[in-house]
Amino acid sequence: CSGSPPSTMKRPVRKKKKNRLLSSRAEPASFVDILEERRRGSDISHALRAFSPPPGCGAPPPSPSALNKMVLESQHLRYVVLEVRDTPGQEEAAALLDEMSQNLQVTFIRLLGFALSKIFTRLFRRIQVNEDGLARLQQATQEHPVILMPNHRSYVDFLVLSYIMFTYDLSIPVIAAGIPLMGMSLIGEIFRRSGAFFIRRAIGSDKLYWAVLSEYVRTIVRTGFAPVEFYVEGLRSRTLKSLTPKMGMMHMVLEPFLKGEVYDLSLVPVSISYDRVLEESLLAHELLGVPKPRETTRGLLKARRVLEQDYGSMHVYFGNPVSVRELAKGRIGRGQYNLVPRDLPGRPSEESQAFASAAAHRVVRLQERGTVLSPWSLTALLVLQRPDGTRWDLLARDTLWLRGIALQLGARLDWPADLPDLEVMSSSMALHRSVVRCEEGCVWLVEEAGPEPVTQEEGVFRRASAVLMCASYRNQALHVFTRPAMVAVAMGTVPGHSQEDIYRHFCFLRDLFANEFVFVPGCGPQDFEEGCSGLQQCGAVSATDHELKPTEEERDTIVFLSAILEPFIETYQVVFRILCDERLQVFTEKSFVPAVRADAMKLLISGNPVTLRRDTEGYLPPTPTCCKLQCPNIYFRQSHCRIHPGSCSPTPLCGPQVATSSPI
Amino acid sequence: MASNTDISERQRIAARRLRVVAGHLQKCVQGEGAGVSAQACKTETPRSSPAKATSVPKRRQDIMKWNGWGYSDSRFLFNKKGQGEFTGKRYRLSGMILPSLKDWFEATFGTSLQHKTPATPTLNVSAVPPPNLVEPFVEELKVAGVAASHDPEGRVFRSHGHCLHEIFALREGRIGRVPDLVVWPNCHNDVVKIVELACKYNVCLMPYGGGTSVSSALECPLEETRSVVSLDTSQMNRILWIDEKNLTVHVEAGIIGQDLERQLNESGYCTGHEPDSMEFSSLGGWVATRASGMKKNIYGNIEDLVVHIKMVTPRGVIEKSCQGPRMSTGPDIHHFIMGSEGTLGVVTEVTMKIRPLPEYQKYGSIVFPNFQQGVSCLREVARQRCAPASIRLMDNEQFQFGHALKPQVSSIFTSFLDGLKKFYITKFKGFEPHHLCVATLLFEGDREKVLQHEKQVYDIAAKFGGLAAGEDNGQRGYMLTFVIAYLRDLGMDYYVIGESFETSVPWDRVLDLCRNVKERIVRECKERGVQFPPFSTCRVTQTYDAGACVYFYFAFNYRGLADPLHVYERVEHEAREEILANGGSLSHHHGVGKLRKEWMREAVSTVGLGMLQSVKEYVDPNNIFGNRNLL
C-alpha cells in the first residue's frame, strides 16, 4: 500500500517504536446507555418530543416526489433509457423508482421511536452508544454529505441507527435495504416511511435498474439532505465475522466526490455488536444448510417469543468520520472525467475501482476496530479450543490471560471495572446458556435436544449448532488476533527466523484468506507490521533487523495464536481435497456447498477431519496454482465448521504445502 | 426598394464621415459629454493633450507607483476618522468617502486599523544590483539612435509584474534580479535593430508592454547569466492608419488600451477590446498573452480581433502577406504568436478590427436568490446566444464587497430608496441576504435594439427568479474591476494579502468548480495555520457557447504567520490543482508565465509541449528572448 492510512487512523507522528506499539491500543470511548432514560421516562413523550435536527450541509430536504423527479429527469437516466430501450424505458424507470424510493416521514419516525423504545427495553439491558462519536457525526453532517456504514449482524441493526439519530436530534438517514424487507406487508411500508429504500438482489446486467438505482443514490448524496446508510458488507454476516465489502453501493456513493459534485464525503464506520444475537440459532442452522425463513410479517409476529429472552447489551460505536478527500489524496486523479460528460453511463475506471475497494476495505477494518467485545467472545475462543469440556476455573484463568493479550492487541472490551472479574465472566457466560452450560465446575457445549434415538449424522448435527454459535461469538473477536496469528503460523512454517521468509509465508496466508478475513488491498506490509508489532507487544517475539524469533517465556502465546487459525486452515484443506476430487470437474456453487457439507460430515463421522499428508519439512514456496484456488465461485463461506468429535489433538499445519500438493 | 436602402446606406455613411471629421476637429477641445458612459468607470484622462501624447512616459515611476498598482495619486486609505477614502481625481470614486468600507474590511478579514504593515516608502537605490552591461552592445545601440538607460529605478520598475509575491517583496524593499538595461524603441525598425544586436552580442531580451502581468512573466529568470535587456514598447504607440472601408486599424503594438480606445473614439470608432487592465496594458501584451476583453460578446477576444501581426524574431520578421479575413494556409501562424508570452519575439505592429462607436449604452443588474439560479440563468442566456456586451455574475461575498464600496449617499431620499429596495428584496421577495447574488450587465448598440435586448435578458432572468436591480448596481460592479487592484494595496497596509486568478470551464461544471475551489481555499488556509477565515469568492465573468470564464478573489489576514507568502503560494497552488481536477483550464486569459509552467505538460500533452518547444528552437535557437515563460 503506497499511501498512508486515512487521517482518522493516524496518530500523532510516531518516532519511537514504543509509541507506535502503544498506538494499537483502542482509544477510550465513553459509552452512554440510551435505554436508561427510556426506562425512566415515558415512551410516548420521547416519541412526541420536539425533533429539529440541525440543518445538514445541503439544501433543505426535497419531498420524495421531487427527489424522484430529479432522478427521472437526470441526464444520466436519459442516456441510459436511450441506450437500453426507447420511450417505454422512461415509464419503466419511473416504475422501478416507485418500487425503490423511500418516503421518509417524521410521523413514522415517531411511531417507530415509540415501538422501538418498547421493543428495545424488553430485549436489551442496555444500548451503549459512544456520545463522542455522535458529536463528531453531528459535526460531520454539517460539513459534508455523510455516509453511515454500519456492520450488519442482526435484523435488529436495521433502524437502530435511525432510532439513535432520532434520540440525539440528528437527521434521519435514508437506508439501503434488501427488497425482501419490502415484501413484508405493512412492515415494508413502515420501513419505507422511516427512510428505507429497497434494492433488488442479483441485479445482474439490468442496465436500466442499475442506472435508476445509482442515480437515485447519487442524487441523495449530491443534495446531501440526509445521511445515506448502507451495509458495505452487503448482507447480514451469518458468522458474525466481517465480510469482504460489496462494491456496488460503494461506487455509487463515491462517485459524486470523484466527479467533483460534492467537495468531500464523510464515511462514518459504525460498529454494532451484541452480547447475544437474537437470531443466533437461526444463523447456525442456516450455516448447516437449513434455508433461511422468508422475511414475512407473520414470521415476525411468530418470533415474538424472542422478546422474552435476555440479550444483554448492544453496543453501537460511531467511528471517526473518514474524509474521502483525504483518502483520495495522491491515490486517484479526479481529472479522469474531464474529457467526457460526467453523466455518461460507464463502468468506473480501474483506478476508481481500486480506490473504492481500498476505501471499502478500510471502512470494514475500522468497523472491526470499533467493535466492542463482550467477555464471552474471549471465553468462546477458549471453549472452542476445548470442545469436550473444560474446568470452569481453568477457563476463567485463561480468559483473564486472553483478556491481557486482547487488550495489548487493541481490542475494545466491555469489561465492567467495578465488578469482580469472575462475576463478569460467569454472568457473561450465563447469558449464553443455550450454548454452554456450567455443571459441577465443568463447562460443556450444549447439545440440541431431540427425540432419541439418533443417527450418527443427527448426532453431529445436534452438536454442531452449539459449536457454530460458539464459533460465531469467537468470530466477533477474531479480527483482533488475525494478523498476529498469521505471523505466528508463518513463523512456524519457516525453517529459520528470517523476517523475509516469514513475510513471504505471511503473504501466502494473506492471499489464501483474502476472502476469509478483511485485508485492505495492497496493504500487505502494513498488515505484517501490525501482526509483528502485536506479537512484540505481547512479548511473544523479539525482532532484530532481519529476524523474528519467538521468546521462550511466551511460547504459549504463539501456540495459542496459531491454534486460532487452525480451524480455518483445516477447512480449506478439506475443501481443497474435495476440489481435487475428479468427480467434481464441473460444478455449480449450489451443488458444491452441499457436497462439501456431506463430505465434511463423512469425515467427522469417520473421526479424523485431517486426512492430508502432513510434512513438517520441505515446505514449498507459494506458487501461482494457489491463486487459482481462490476464484470466487468456489469461495466457501461457511469455512469454520471444524468440529472435533473425538480427541482434540493439536494439529500444527501449514497452508503452502496443501495448496502446492493439489493437482489443480 | 433597392434605391431606398441605398439612400439610407449612403446617409448612414455620410453621418459617420461627419462624426469622424467632427472627432478630428474636436481633438483639442474638452469633449464634454461626447464620451460614452462606459468610460465613466475608468480613469478620465484630460483630453487636452494632443492625440500623439501618451499616458505612459519613459519614466513610468513619475506617475505610477513603484511598489503597488496604478497611478501614484490614486489610492485607498482610511482617514483619521477611520473612514475609507479613495484619493486623486482620475476615477469616479476618487475623492469619495466610503462609509461602509471599514466595517466590511474589519468584519471580513478580522483586521484592526491599529495593526498596520506599511510599505517601504521609497526605493533604496543602493539595494539595486549594479547593471551587467555588454559595452559594445550599448555602444551600437547608441549609434543606432535607440534610447537606453540603466537607471536603477527604471530597471526595478521593469523587473516585475503584479503578482502578489512581486509586490509584497517590493513593499518590503526586497529587490531581486532586475534587468540590466532598459531600451525604448520608437518603431518597428528600431526593434529589428535591437534584436539583431542582441543576437550579435548574445544578450537576453525581455519585451515589456504595460507591466500588468500576473503570471510572473516579467520576472528575470534567476539562472540567466547574460545581460538582461528590458525592451519597453511604450514609445511605439502610434495609430498608423485607419481603414474605414474595411473597418481596420493599424497600430504600433506598444500603445496602451485606454489610449488606443480614446484615439479611436475621437474618430468615431472603437475596438471594443476592454480587458480589466486596459488602463495600463498594451496591445502587444494582449497579443502575447491571448487577452480577453470584457465586451468580447460583441467584439470578440483578441484572437477574433486581430487581422494581421508583425513580429520581430531572432530569425527575422514574421507576418502574413495579405489581410484576408480568414485563410486556409496550414495552421494559422498567428496562433504561434498569440500566447507566446514574449518567448519568440516582439510584436511591433498589429492590424485589428474596429467598429463604429455604439449609439447607446446601458448598464443593468439582476438579483438572484442564490448563485445556482444565477448560473442557470447565464447558461440559458448563453444557450439562446443573447448575451449582452458583458454579463457577469458575482457571488454573495462579492456582492457584499461591492456594497462596501458604496460612496456616501448625498440625500436622505436616496438612502430611503436603498432601504426600501433592500426591504423589498429580502422581506417581500424572501431572498436570503447571505445567499443572494447579483449579475451585472452592459448593453451596447442601437437604442431600440438595446432596449429590446434588455427585455429579452430580463425575461430569461425572471424564469430563474431574478429581479431587475437597477443600473446603479450594474455600474458599480464594473467600477469594482478597475479599483480592485488598488484595494489590494490597501489590504497590504493592514496584514491582508490576496490575489485573483481565473479559469474557464464547461457549463455543467461551473457550480461544482466554484464551490469546490472556494472551499478548498478555506480548508487549505485553515490547515496552514491562517488564523482568520479567508475571503474566498468568485464570479462568472464571461459566457461562451460551451462554458464560462470564472474569476476567483482570494485574500486573507496573515497576522501570526511566519511566512505568509509561502502560505499564500501553497494555497494558490492547491486552488489551481482543484480547478484542474474539476475540469477547469490552466488559464482563460492571464497566461502561463512562470507561475503556472509546472502544469503545462498536463494541460497540452507531451506532444503538444514538444510542438511548442520545436517552434521555439527554430525561431530562437539561442534563447535571446529568454524570459523562460510558458515552456
Side-chain angles (χ1 to χ4, degrees), chain A residues 387 460 566-578 596-614 639-651 653 658:
Chain A
V460 171
E566 236 170 68
F568 295 92
I569 294 170
E570 281 176 22
T571 349
Y572 274 54
Q573 285 178 313
V574 170
V575 175
F576 289 150
R577 208 191 63 124
I578 298 166
V596 169
R597 221 175 258 132
D599 237 49
M601 181 68 86
K602 262 187 237 156
L603 286 171
L604 286 170
I605 291 168
S606 74
N608 184 9
V610 184
T611 52
L612 285 161
R613 160 176 75 92
R614 241 180 283 139
S639 55
H640 52 263
C641 44
R642 172 194 185 235
I643 307 161
H644 284 275
S647 68
C648 74
S649 58
T651 46
L653 263 188
V658 179

Side-chain angles (χ1 to χ4, degrees), chain A residues 143-144 260-263 325-326 334-335 337-338 340 342, chain B residues 508-509 512 515-516 519-520 523 527 578 580-583:
Chain A
E143 287 177 354
H144 304 297
E261 293 164 333
V262 294
Y263 180 77
R325 185 172 268 268
E326 283 295 322
R334 281 181 294 142
Y337 296 102
N338 283 359
V340 286
R342 291 178 295 176
Chain B
D508 72 315
R509 294 161 207 249
D512 290 331
R515 180 198 51 241
N516 290 353
E519 174 116 24
R520 180 78 178 259
R523 306 230 152 216
E527 254 173 52
E578 191 63 34
L580 298 176
N582 283 276

Side-chain angles (χ1 to χ4, degrees), chain B residues 21-171:
Chain B
V21 175
H24 282 293
L25 290 175
Q26 281 174 358
K27 235 171 225 176
C28 303
V29 189
Q30 196 92 1
E32 275 303 315
V36 209
S37 60
Q39 297 299 318
C41 300
K42 293 164 293 248
T43 73
E44 282 147 14
T45 327
R47 301 256 166 103
S48 51
S49 52
K52 285 276 170 63
T54 168
S55 40
V56 184
K58 282 188 189 170
R59 278 181 55 84
R60 294 184 188 223
Q61 57 271 32
D62 288 348
I63 57 161
M64 283 151 83
K65 298 192 191 83
W66 70 278
N67 61 354
W69 178 262
Y71 298 106
S72 307
D73 54 17
S74 301
R75 57 185 291 251
F76 281 98
L77 53 80
F78 289 112
N79 61 24
K80 281 181 188 137
K81 287 190 214 155
Q83 291 168 313
E85 199 180 318
F86 192 53
T87 64
K89 291 187 182 126
R90 294 174 187 268
Y91 297 85
R92 260 180 57 136
L93 212 56
S94 296
M96 294 219 191
I97 299 286
L98 313 164
S100 14
L101 184 60
K102 173 175 173 264
D103 287 345
W104 174 85
F105 188 68
E106 290 186 335
T108 307
F109 296 106
T111 49
S112 149
L113 298 193
Q114 314 304 320
H115 304 293
K116 286 203 72 172
T117 42
T120 316
T122 49
L123 173 62
N124 177 7
V125 179
S126 61
V128 181
N132 162 24
L133 297 176
V134 180
E135 286 304 334
F137 173 76
V138 180
E139 279 306 310
E140 286 206 41
L141 274 182
K142 204 180 276 174
V143 173
V146 176
S149 154
H150 55 79
D151 156 53
E153 287 185 10
R155 285 159 52 216
V156 168
F157 200 99
R158 286 162 189 81
S159 67
H160 66 86
H162 283 272
C163 285
L164 175 77
H165 65 269
E166 294 171 316
I167 300 301
F168 196 85
L170 288 176
R171 286 173 61 96

